[in-house]
Amino acid sequence: MADAAGGGRRILVTNDDGIHAPGLKVLETIARRLGGEVWVVAPETNQSGASHSLTLSRPLRIRRISARHYAVDGTPTDCVLLALQKILDGAADLVLSGVNHGSNLGEDVTYSGTVAAAMEATVLGVRAVALSQSCRNGHPVKWGTAERFAPEILERLCAAPWPEGVLVNINFPDRVSASVEGVRVTRQGKRKVGDALVERIDPRGEPYYWIGALREEEHWAEGTDLAAIADGYISVTPVHLDLTHHQSLESFRKILAEDSRQDGS
Ligand code: MN
């Protein structure tokens, strides 16, 4: 049964920071502003960095918290799968993932559980948007910025058609809403140089390693998500599930055709 507002639209809200995360509450507020019926299905614990992983080695439990609110003891991908195939009574029209504590820019997209939840929805044929709020360590998160701007951006996106297999990755800058410069449609940038690895010796004399801080480039290319956020803009990136590099198909065919000719002679 749908709420009167929103014409029966059914929205699934999920995240990777877990059912208790403040950003999930923010996203539920944003979803309610879009109207319709809002369902929340999120992981029991923080799954940041889980990427698009599925839990296959053990059973999954669904815990009902209250009406249309559930926790799953698995990954963001598990949550979307169970929500869309089991928990919701009917099809979802939109899946929103976030609002993540921290940005998902550049290569983050490939590690992010927030983006992965949106990917899973896209795989299952439901339009999906990942939302992330940039922040700095040790500073309060400016959730008000995502809350202020997300509803209108989502309304506009939902009113337009999108190509199949495309999800939207939205990042909000680490600024109060009055200081946000605007919205930029961006491409995925590149910043990662490596991770600072911490190497220590354990009490038994064996070395161990701990993945530390991200080492990054210092300049962002124009038109990227990274540049938009650095300049104080909201970044909106259309992300394609088809990871094929189409421009390389021809040259790779040629490379392999030559190889096979040489092998055959
Ligand atoms: Mn997260």
Side-chain angles (χ1 to χ4, degrees), residues 20-41:
H20 301 294
L24 186 68
K25 268 262 166 270
V26 174
L27 188 53
E28 197 183 340
T29 306
I30 291 166
R32 288 199 188 288
R33 243 174 255 159
L34 298 178
E37 194 180 277
V38 177
W39 292 71
V40 178
V41 181

Side-chain angles (χ1 to χ4, degrees), residues 15-18 46-50 99-104 112-114 132:
N15 74 351
D16 77 348
D17 294 338
N46 192 332
Q47 299 288 316
S48 296
V99 177
N100 190 58
H101 179 275
S103 56
N104 277 303
S112 167
T114 306
S132 303

